[in-house]
Amino acid sequence: MKNIFPILIFSAILVQSCIKEDHFGLSSAGNILSIEFKNQNGSASINRSNDSVYVELANGTNLSQVQLTKLELSSFAASSRKVGDLVDFTSGSADFVVTSEDQSQTNWKVHVFEVGSNPQLPNSDFNQWYDSQKGYLEIGADVNSTIWGTSNPGVEFGGMDANVLQEEVSNDDFAIKMVTRYSSLAAVFKKPIASGSAFTGFFDVDNIDINDPEAAIDFGIPFTATPASFKLQYLYEAGPKNIDKNGNALSFPDSCDIYSVLERREGDQVKRVATAWLRTTGNGGDIQSIQVTYTYGELPARTPSYMLPKEGETYAALGETPTHINVVFASSAYGAEFQGAENSTLLVDNFELVYE
């Protein structure tokens, strides 16, 4: 997706590294290559960057006893669960421990959801956070179960402080605070601005590419429902000086992005099913509630270009259902172009999908 957020990667210009696999000795590979359950709809979505699997089941499936019908692993690996086992998914997920040939273990989290239900996204009240072990918190209960990614790994890679933070809005009620950072060193490479961003998906720091700022991001999670709108609480205050990537002052203020798109992914083809988007320069000094409607099908004429499907994507036909949902929050809407204002701050809480 474009116009989402920057990944501060100027240090990669100075230092590069490569990883080589040692093909001798016992294998350390402990991956789930394919998996199927009784009453499964379509193929499972497997994400190796955080050892997670997403599976869609038929509506009405008994989630306390879901039979595992197929499991393919890395060569010489073994799983804690076997084909034929009945897996309890009443909590929405279950652990699969995969032991590699060299006896190292990988804990995979398998998530399920039902076709035709009206689901909410896990931890969409943003009250669960975990320690990244890198000096900052991340959204979710743990790295394996979370569906939320942030820009923190990118700015940390670039030597800056985390810019997606936990904010307590009342006793034991937490929100996401996103802050746009400025770096004078990065400005030398025309990458002065790092927007704070949170999104459904995953950040894979091993895939950072200085020529493609979004290469490390796997946007979206599996999702098949058709909400009418989403609502949340937010507060946005733009920083005092909006600049472009060359450091030139701009005549207009910074703005934030709060949006969601539903997609139908078929192989390499991405079809836009629905769009719900808010871009704003600020809403004063108080947190407020908003509701943003999804537009299904083709967007009308004179829709701002940033809301349109990106090059190579098409619109889904009316009636086609989504396979994935993208939800994105960014403190500087043009952060992907390294444009924004230092200290622009976006606070977001209690994201909720609305069904009619």
Side-chain angles (χ1 to χ4, degrees):
M1 304 296 298
K2 295 190 177 187
N3 299 330
I4 296 176
F5 61 90
I7 304 166
L8 191 58
I9 54 174
F10 66 88
S11 61
I13 301 174
L14 307 177
V15 179
Q16 292 186 354
S17 63
C18 63
I19 300 174
K20 296 181 179 179
E21 292 187 15
D22 185 355
H23 294 281
F24 299 95
L26 300 178
S27 172
S28 62
N31 292 316
I32 293 178
L33 304 180
S34 66
I35 190 169
E36 291 180 7
F37 295 89
K38 187 176 180 179
N39 295 327
Q40 181 172 320
N41 182 54
S43 299
S45 176
I46 300 174
N47 192 300
R48 295 187 187 179
S49 65
N50 74 334
D51 306 325
S52 292
V53 178
Y54 294 86
V55 177
E56 180 183 83
L57 300 176
N59 195 22
T61 298
N62 180 0
L63 297 182
S64 67
Q65 299 184 49
V66 183
Q67 186 176 39
L68 179 63
T69 58
K70 178 182 178 181
L71 181 63
E72 183 182 355
L73 307 172
S74 300
S75 299
F76 309 113
S79 170
S80 59
R81 302 181 189 270
K82 307 293 188 295
V83 171
D85 284 357
L86 298 178
V87 184
D88 185 356
F89 283 111
T90 52
S91 68
S93 65
D95 292 328
F96 280 57
V97 179
V98 177
T99 303
S100 65
E101 186 186 17
D102 70 358
Q103 299 304 300
S104 58
Q105 292 187 330
T106 304
N107 187 55
W108 285 78
K109 186 77 71 172
V110 179
H111 306 262
V112 300
F113 53 96
E114 294 182 78
V115 178
S117 60
N118 294 338
Q120 296 297 328
L121 301 184
N123 193 35
S124 56
D125 60 6
F126 312 122
N127 284 334
Q128 291 182 313
W129 294 72
Y130 67 93
D131 188 347
S132 69
Q133 305 298 316
K134 296 181 180 180
Y136 53 83
L137 299 178
E138 287 282 31
I139 309 164
D142 55 62
V143 67
N144 291 319
S145 64
T146 187
I147 67 162
W148 299 99
T150 75
S151 55
N152 283 338
V155 297
E156 186 265 341
F157 179 85
M160 298 178 70
D161 292 336
N163 63 354
V164 177
L165 310 169
Q166 182 193 69
E167 178 81 359
E168 188 169 18
V169 293
S170 62
N171 290 338
D172 297 323
D173 181 19
F174 298 98
I176 308 173
K177 181 180 181 179
M178 290 152 279
V179 183
T180 298
R181 305 287 193 204
Y182 173 84
S183 169
S184 57
L185 179 56
V188 175
F189 302 101
K190 296 186 178 182
K191 297 173 175 63
I193 291 297
S195 171
S197 305
F199 52 92
T200 52
F202 310 98
F203 189 112
D204 185 358
V205 71
D206 293 332
N207 284 334
I208 287 181
D209 182 349
I210 61 174
N211 297 311
D212 183 0
E214 296 180 350
I217 309 304
D218 184 3
F219 291 110
I221 60 168
F223 185 84
T224 58
T226 52
S229 60
F230 70 79
K231 60 182 180 181
L232 51 72
Q233 288 85 52
Y234 89 106
L235 170 65
Y236 183 63
E237 295 183 6
K241 184 179 179 181
N242 195 24
I243 63 171
D244 64 18
K245 67 179 181 179
N246 297 310
N248 299 317
L250 298 169
S251 60
F252 51 88
D254 199 3
S255 57
C256 70
D257 262 344
I258 298 173
Y259 71 87
S260 173
V261 297
L262 304 178
E263 295 176 340
R264 183 171 185 84
R265 301 181 185 179
E266 299 173 344
D268 294 332
Q269 178 65 55
V270 177
K271 300 179 182 179
R272 175 76 65 83
V273 175
T275 309
W277 205 302
L278 173 70
R279 177 170 290 187
T280 178
T281 57
N283 64 333
D286 296 318
I287 194 165
Q288 69 181 60
S289 298
I290 57 166
Q291 187 162 340
V292 184
T293 300
Y294 284 97
T295 299
Y296 282 79
E298 188 170 353
L299 293 167
R302 294 186 296 279
T303 294
S305 60
Y306 59 80
M307 294 176 59
L308 303 177
K310 68 179 182 181
E311 185 177 356
E313 297 180 356
T314 62
Y315 287 104
L318 288 177
E320 286 191 286
T321 56
T323 62
H324 289 75
I325 185 171
N326 295 347
V327 178
V328 178
F329 315 124
S331 58
S332 291
Y334 289 99
E337 300 171 22
F338 304 101
Q339 174 180 304
E342 182 179 14
N343 293 326
S344 288
T345 302
L346 173 63
L347 193 72
V348 171
D349 198 11
N350 296 324
F351 179 89
E352 181 183 348
L353 294 167
V354 179
Y355 298 89
E356 297 179 354

